[in-house]
Amino acid sequence: MPSHVFADRPAPQPPERGDVDALISLARRLRGDVDAVRRDAADQEDDAHGRWQRALCDLAVHHLDDLGAHLGQLKEGLPAQAADSPGPLGRVESFEAPDSFQEDLAEHEADSALHGGSLLSRVGSAEWNLLTDEVSWSDELYQILGRSPESGPMTLDELPAMVFSEDQPLLTAMVTDCLVDGSPIDGEFRMVRTDGGVRTVHMTGEPVLDADGSTASMWAVLRDVSELRRSQRAVRETRHSLQRKEHFAQTERRLAVELQEAVLPPWRGSLQLPEDAPAALDVAAHYLPSADSALIGGDWYDALQLPGGQALLSVGDLTGHGVVATSSMAMLLGALRGMAVAGIAPGQLMAHLNQLLEASAQPALGSAVCCRYEPAERTLTWAQAGHPAPLLFRGGTGRALTPPEGVLLGATPTAQYGQADVRLLPGDVLVLHTDGLTRTSAAEECDTGRLLALAPLFAEAKDAQDCVRAVVEEFGEAERGDDACVMAARIGR
């Protein structure tokens, strides 16, 4: 193949690993060079040598197409990849390749450096003359097969000795069809180098006929595609791994959602607690998912009528997401309901929840607030564990209740939790919420200012459901980094 095409351009340096744009630019330049060589070869006489040169050019183009397809596979197989055009050599944004591909690329770069860094150094040629028994191999073919030039080329009878036994029938059939029927050769097989290394070789060729139409010789072009095939396997395995992870994530999210829906109270709209009491609570609540729908957390809300005529209100939040967080939330909420029904006061109830979470097989931290409402005296007794205090709205204004002592659940097994009492008036509105409602990221502090600013709307609301609706309209579309719960309870007149 003429070498003047590359004479004015220094050998391209291997692109920085992971720099797909550089690889694409290099592939485009090489494609242009090969097209120039193909035009030169097309002008030559239509003899075996000319056909051999054109075959080399076709193989080089095929190699570049493989490279383009390979980049396309990487683009499709890895997450968050974007391109301006869908073609195999279209521009692709830079990405971080998987470790397996990084290793293949490093091996390919080292081997290319050993062979002079040229793309076509991975293509060798051979000719077997059936009339004179002469065999000629190009220098590149010796390099591909790891055979010393001093050992000389191998005959067609000797060549299968380097091929995997499973692939020998393919090579034998291709050579036989070429010599007997004049069929072109096009196949791929694995060869064992003299140093024990295994290479995957793609072979194309055709017979050269003499004047009477019989086969005089056979030429072939052998292309080393080992790294390319390994990289393609790595891409397929990466894609399959990503698909498995995505399926696992979808399954986990579905289980988390189902568990959450099974545990949270089933009622919708407003709930009267206790029923038929003159100072009953009108209760409504809502769960708000995070901006990332995959982050199903451990937030909960609950409202429960107790045997003595009181009512229990609680909200809480556990660290983490997914099935682990929702299963721990289910455990805590079940324990909270059982202890509340047994008559345990909110402060002592928090202490028991803290010990339960600290001793759990899946350690986590949590925050919670628990309120017990006595309708006969309109008294609220409450405790908290590192959680935003309930907000009390009265007469068109709002304020946060002063919290009693209480640290996060699961922080220390010896934590003590205090209680506080507040006397409520008819028409008062209590709002309980998790901290994800009023902040957009974990780094932000909980800001209740926007909630307190809703006091005029709460004063005009006809029931608790209207209060919750106002909160959702204010916060429901926010780009929260976590899920959240809000509960409103209005004191009957």
Side-chain angles (χ1 to χ4, degrees), residues 32-384:
D33 292 336
V34 173
D35 283 339
V37 176
R38 293 174 75 178
R39 289 193 295 270
D40 289 344
D43 295 334
Q44 298 180 16
E45 295 182 4
D46 188 18
D47 56 10
H49 181 71
R51 291 194 299 271
W52 172 77
Q53 280 200 327
R54 289 195 297 274
L56 281 178
C57 293
D58 291 340
L59 279 173
V61 170
H62 184 52
H63 195 114
L64 289 170
D65 289 341
D66 277 350
L67 176 60
H70 178 59
L71 291 174
Q73 287 176 328
L74 283 175
K75 178 187 67 177
E76 296 173 1
L78 295 175
Q81 301 304 316
D84 290 340
S85 62
L89 292 182
R91 188 176 70 81
V92 182
E93 299 295 333
S94 60
F95 67 98
E96 185 66 27
D99 292 341
S100 57
F101 175 67
Q102 301 265 21
E103 295 170 0
D104 286 337
L105 182 58
E107 181 182 348
H108 173 76
E109 291 173 350
D111 198 46
S112 294
L114 179 63
H115 293 161
S118 170
L119 174 67
L120 297 182
S121 66
R122 309 196 68 79
V123 179
S125 61
E127 184 173 3
W128 289 272
N129 191 309
L130 305 182
L131 302 180
T132 64
D133 291 332
E134 293 179 344
V135 183
S136 61
W137 279 13
S138 67
D139 293 339
E140 291 83 359
L141 186 54
Y142 284 104
Q143 294 176 359
I144 291 173
L145 300 184
R147 185 176 175 86
S148 170
E150 289 76 17
S151 302
M154 303 179 73
T155 66
L156 287 175
D157 293 333
E158 295 172 331
L159 191 62
M162 297 189 68
V163 178
F164 267 35
S165 58
E166 296 90 336
D167 298 344
Q168 288 177 3
L170 172 63
L171 175 61
T172 301
M174 288 193 304
V175 172
T176 300
D177 291 344
C178 180
L179 298 180
V180 176
D181 300 329
S183 302
I185 292 175
D186 190 351
E188 192 170 299
F189 43 83
R190 295 162 295 174
M191 303 189 75
V192 182
R193 291 163 50 101
T194 54
D195 60 6
V198 177
R199 313 304 294 176
T200 302
V201 176
H202 188 100
M203 181 177 181
T204 60
E206 65 177 47
V208 179
L209 306 180
D210 59 14
D212 62 2
S214 60
T215 303
S217 63
M218 187 189 83
W219 62 263
V221 174
L222 293 91
R223 182 165 62 109
D224 185 355
V225 295
S226 305
E227 282 74 26
L228 178 61
R229 297 298 178 251
R230 278 202 292 268
S231 297
Q232 289 173 337
R233 286 195 298 271
V235 170
R236 288 194 298 270
E237 291 170 0
T238 301
R239 181 187 294 113
H240 293 159
S241 176
L242 290 172
Q243 290 173 344
R244 288 193 297 271
K245 289 179 180 179
E246 181 180 1
H247 177 71
F248 177 80
Q250 291 174 346
T251 301
E252 184 181 35
R253 182 181 183 279
R254 178 178 56 80
L255 291 175
V257 170
E258 291 177 354
L259 181 58
Q260 183 186 63
E261 292 178 347
V263 173
L264 293 181
W267 44 267
R268 298 293 183 267
S270 295
L271 179 69
Q272 297 295 318
L273 292 176
E275 295 179 2
D276 302 325
L281 293 177
D282 175 30
V283 183
H286 190 77
Y287 171 82
L288 295 92
S290 68
D292 185 351
S293 61
L295 298 179
I296 303 299
D299 288 40
W300 83 80
Y301 63 86
D302 196 24
L304 181 68
Q305 181 169 331
L306 301 177
Q310 302 91 358
L312 170 75
L313 304 177
S314 70
V315 296
D317 182 15
L318 287 180
T319 57
H321 299 91
V323 174
V324 173
T326 51
S327 61
S328 296
M329 178 266 286
M331 174 192 68
L332 280 188
L333 189 52
L336 185 152
R337 289 169 174 169
M339 288 186 286
V341 169
I344 298 177
Q348 188 60 37
L349 189 152
M350 284 293 179
H352 290 318
L353 289 182
N354 176 66
Q355 294 174 347
L356 179 63
L357 189 59
E358 198 276 334
S360 173
Q362 299 173 338
L365 294 176
S367 68
V369 60
C370 180
C371 307
R372 186 175 66 186
Y373 174 66
E374 175 58 64
E377 301 178 358
R378 293 194 179 95
T379 302
L380 187 78
T381 301
W382 69 286
Q384 63 85 30

Side-chain angles (χ1 to χ4, degrees), residues 427-445:
D428 285 353
V429 174
L430 280 172
V431 173
L432 285 65
H433 67 94
T434 56
D435 56 5
L437 179 68
T438 58
R439 63 183 185 182
T440 58
S441 69
E444 292 184 357
E445 294 293 331

Side-chain angles (χ1 to χ4, degrees), residues 447-482:
D447 180 13
T448 59
R450 288 172 63 191
L451 267 175
L452 293 174
L454 298 177
L457 296 178
F458 294 163
E460 298 175 357
K462 65 179 184 297
D463 56 21
Q465 186 64 35
D466 277 354
C467 297
V468 168
R469 189 176 296 111
V471 174
V472 173
E473 290 177 355
E474 175 68 21
F475 294 95
E477 301 300 325
E479 291 296 323
R480 288 180 308 279
D482 198 0

